Amino acid sequence: MKIIKRDKLKDLLNSFAKNAQTLAPVKENDTIKFLPWKGQGEIDLSQNALLPPKDLLFPQTEVMYRYTDGGVQGEITDVAAAAERQVIFGIRPCDVRSLTMMDDVFMTKGYEDDYYKSKRENTILISLGCNEPQPTCFCTSMGIDMMEADGADIVMYDLGEKLALEPKTDAGEQLLNDVDVLEDGAAEKPVAKECQLKADAEGLAEKLAQMFHHSYWEDLSRTCIGCGTCTYLCPTCHCFDIRRKNIGEEGFQFRCWDSCMFSEYTRMAGGHNPRPSKKERVRNRFLHKLQYFPERYGKVACVGCGRCVGKCPVNIDITRIIGELREVSVDE
Ligand code: SF4
Ligand code: SF4
């Protein structure tokens, strides 16, 4: 195990940044976000970042290829080139878990997304255990250990005046060996406080498979304003649209995040929309997380980060919904 004093944290990040793009949770305009570390900034490890670091592997907007001559006879340049090496420092166990779900989506079941894969293979994750959950956190209900992070290359614990780093993979070990600001040491793993918010989604997928036409969805959707905040903040949401931008005869194809909460999301070229109202869209969001994803990948597509719980402007709270879905009769 390696130890670093808190006041030497910037030295550690500076060392990482010499060899790799290093992203750290920095407070800017009262918001914590993962930003490239350039030697300056207020590192804030007090709570999780508002925006999950999923955009570091799956950017909000990403050029896929460029073309000339209108794309008919000209040159086409693929831009899924090998990604730069990156270190994501201070990612929380819930967000590490969400990236393993992104791995499921973008790299399994016979499909490999080169854009995602090239970044993922060049990314080192340094997790930070959560000593104290936020009131909106319920990660332990989703089977997450607040101190450990399955999938992280290095697990880090906050010991107050010091931080302890324990490598979990060869890449993590190598990274720690390459810096000279760490000391060898030992430390007790801190004991995390319990999450106050709970949700029990165990076995819910089977029940939901019988609830597609249930009146619950109409009732639930009434308050939703379709803003998409929940999906953009969610570390497991991964829907995207593909578009083309022409500038004269040249142009590029790009993909950008989309949201199943928007009416245009499912609108087809001829104008037909299979999810024409909020009822179908809200239903899809919850069925995707609690039924479709478990059916396809064997796990609920929610890591209990609480971002949607805290930021939905009309207080649509997935923990309450999971509780209500457990209670409601499938026959209504
Ligand atoms: S954040 Fe709330 S209001 Fe906005 S789309 Fe999501 S559920 Fe609806
Ligand atoms: S559904 Fe909400 S609580 Fe669950 S992972 Fe997504 S943003 Fe976090």
Side-chain angles (χ1 to χ4, degrees):
M1 185 174 277
K2 301 282 185 185
I3 306 286
I4 185 143
K5 291 195 181 127
R6 215 174 184 91
D7 59 5
K8 297 278 183 221
L9 199 50
K10 289 188 176 180
D11 296 340
L12 180 64
L13 293 176
N14 289 340
S15 299
F16 292 151
K18 278 184 201 156
N19 300 315
Q21 157 106 321
T22 299
L23 292 305
V26 169
K27 193 168 194 177
E28 201 181 68
N29 300 327
D30 277 338
T31 303
I32 303 172
K33 44 193 160 184
F34 284 88
L35 293 177
W37 179 252
K38 305 280 183 209
Q40 286 183 335
E42 187 189 343
I43 304 157
D44 193 330
L45 304 180
S46 64
Q47 55 182 277
N48 202 0
L50 173 62
L51 296 171
K54 71 176 175 182
D55 66 309
L56 302 172
L57 297 151
F58 170 50
Q60 243 171 311
T61 304
E62 181 166 36
V63 175
M64 302 171 79
Y65 61 83
R66 298 179 188 279
Y67 51 81
T68 58
D69 269 354
V72 182
Q73 290 175 326
E75 197 179 324
I76 293 184
T77 318
D78 192 350
V79 288
E84 196 184 337
R85 190 164 178 250
Q86 62 179 353
V87 172
I88 304 179
F89 176 88
I91 180 173
R92 304 289 173 147
C94 58
D95 287 340
V96 173
R97 170 73 69 84
S98 76
L99 292 183
T100 68
M101 292 180 187
M102 290 288 198
D103 295 348
D104 289 336
V105 172
F106 288 115
M107 300 201 300
T108 68
K109 304 271 182 200
Y111 170 73
E112 285 196 347
D113 183 285
D114 289 344
Y115 304 96
Y116 178 88
K117 192 174 171 219
S118 63
K119 294 181 200 58
R120 186 68 172 100
E121 288 177 343
N122 283 290
T123 299
I124 293 184
L125 301 177
I126 305 179
S127 72
L128 173 63
C130 291
N131 295 7
E132 189 157 351
Q134 294 295 297
T136 49
C137 293
F138 58 101
C139 63
T140 45
S141 294
M142 295 297 154
I144 289 166
D145 182 327
M146 286 164 64
M147 282 297 149
E148 297 297 325
D150 256 357
D153 295 284
I154 299 167
V155 170
M156 181 165 64
Y157 309 124
D158 187 342
L159 307 171
E161 290 303 300
K162 295 174 182 173
L163 294 156
L165 296 95
E166 192 175 348
K168 296 286 179 183
T169 64
D170 292 345
E173 182 133 27
Q174 185 65 51
L175 184 75
L176 295 187
N177 287 340
D178 287 347
V179 295
D180 56 8
V181 294
L182 293 163
E183 293 167 16
D184 288 324
E188 287 273 312
K189 186 160 68 166
V191 177
K193 288 193 183 154
E194 246 192 77
C195 290
Q196 294 307 305
L197 204 55
K198 313 261 185 227
D200 179 9
E202 188 71 34
L204 197 55
E206 289 78 12
K207 182 175 182 184
L208 290 175
Q210 303 170 63
M211 287 184 60
F212 190 78
H213 296 292
H214 203 282
S215 58
Y216 179 81
W217 306 116
E218 180 70 49
D219 298 342
L220 174 63
S221 66
R222 276 199 195 105
T223 50
C224 173
I225 56 171
C227 64
T229 301
C230 49
T231 52
Y232 281 112
L233 289 182
C234 180
T236 71
C237 280
H238 50 266
C239 289
F240 60 86
D241 191 12
I242 294 181
R243 290 173 178 242
R244 189 172 289 187
K245 174 78 179 165
N246 286 316
I247 306 153
E249 287 297 292
E250 296 184 5
F252 57 88
Q253 182 113 329
F254 65 100
R255 68 178 177 188
C256 52
W257 291 1
D258 203 347
S259 170
C260 61
M261 304 307 273
F262 297 156
S263 61
E264 294 82 7
Y265 178 76
T266 41
R267 196 176 62 208
M268 298 175 188
H272 173 65
N273 193 339
R275 292 187 207 140
S277 75
K278 281 192 299 180
K279 179 186 91 176
E280 291 86 13
R281 299 193 282 273
V282 169
R283 176 178 65 192
N284 180 72
R285 175 176 167 230
F286 289 101
L287 288 186
H288 182 241
K289 296 209 169 295
L290 302 170
Q291 181 197 342
Y292 307 149
F293 204 88
E295 284 172 353
R296 187 164 169 79
Y297 298 108
K299 55 192 97 159
V300 169
C302 170
V303 295
C305 72
R307 290 181 174 97
C308 63
V309 178
K311 292 297 174 190
C312 172
V314 295
N315 297 324
I316 292 182
D317 173 344
I318 189 169
T319 62
R320 173 178 56 82
I321 289 157
I322 289 171
E324 288 173 355
L325 288 168
R326 291 204 85 81
E327 294 300 317
V328 80
S329 159
V330 290
D331 301 323
E332 279 174 38

